[in-house]
Amino acid sequence: MQRFKSAVWFCAAVSLAACGASEESPEKEALAQQEAALTTGTTQGCTYTLSSVPVSGAMPPRWDIVVTRAASGTCAHGAGSVTLGTSFNPPYLALLANSYGVATAFSYKPTPSGSSHTRCQVDHVDPATLGSVRSTDITVMYGTASVYSCNLDQTDGGATLVAYGTKGGPLPGEVGNRPNYVATYYNFFTSTTPAVYYTY
């Protein structure tokens, strides 16, 4: 899957940076492009971006997760933005756009409490209204540990959405019981079929 390859390149680029690659190095520029590709996508002539925005003056600190549609001559819907959620720690972000629609994923900590664990929210965003058509969480059973990250990929020509990342405990009905997970949403954009989890 293309985004699995992107994740591998991301790790390689981080390693290069940690070993002393200069600020203007080609590796750093490539890394920035990879990061942008994970949070920006285009469909129906419109470009969508997922970002986290620190809430000014908020104590304890929190971040709004915002999906933005850019204005352009090819986009029939015009510019707009919608807040999908809020996190009490810096969120992990991913966006995927295809002919079926726009999907977003982000990690979030729902409360500032030390006992509150991070989870991932996956949304089907309406390209025209930016409203959430479908929203589902990837959460460790009984809230006993965190889901640390969530990336997005697609199969079946884009009809099936795949979320993947790392977690600290078991997911409901998972196969494998390992720290890395893959959540497969069959017909994500046209149904409410729950994810099937596999771990490795």
Side-chain angles (χ1 to χ4, degrees), residues 45-59:
C46 303
T47 298
Y48 300 83
T49 301
L50 189 66
S51 60
S52 61
V53 181
V55 177
S56 179
M59 288 302 295

Side-chain angles (χ1 to χ4, degrees), residues 78-164:
S81 64
V82 168
T83 299
L84 296 176
T86 298
S87 178
F88 284 91
N89 61 5
Y92 192 102
L93 305 172
L95 181 145
L96 184 148
N98 61 28
S99 60
Y100 290 93
V102 178
T104 61
F106 58 89
S107 65
Y108 73 99
K109 185 179 181 184
T111 75
S113 168
S115 61
S116 175
H117 292 288
T118 301
R119 59 194 68 182
C120 274
Q121 180 174 316
V122 180
D123 285 84
H124 170 196
V125 175
D126 187 303
T129 67
L130 297 180
S132 179
V133 178
R134 175 186 183 184
S135 184
T136 180
D137 274 3
I138 300 173
T139 308
V140 170
M141 290 178 64
Y142 312 116
T144 55
S146 289
V147 176
Y148 303 110
S149 63
C150 34
N151 303 280
L152 292 178
D153 205 340
Q154 58 189 340
T155 63
D156 301 333
T160 294
L161 185 74
V162 177
Y164 63 96

Side-chain angles (χ1 to χ4, degrees), residues 138-147 167-179 181 197 199:
I138 300 173
T139 308
V140 170
M141 290 178 64
Y142 312 116
T144 55
S146 289
V147 176
K167 45 103 176 162
L171 303 176
E174 73 173 37
V175 175
N177 193 23
R178 297 289 189 269
Y181 75 87
Y197 296 113
T199 64

Side-chain angles (χ1 to χ4, degrees), residues 169-190:
L171 303 176
E174 73 173 37
V175 175
N177 193 23
R178 297 289 189 269
N180 303 287
Y181 75 87
V182 177
T184 303
Y185 297 89
Y186 294 100
N187 301 310
F188 176 78
F189 296 98
T190 57

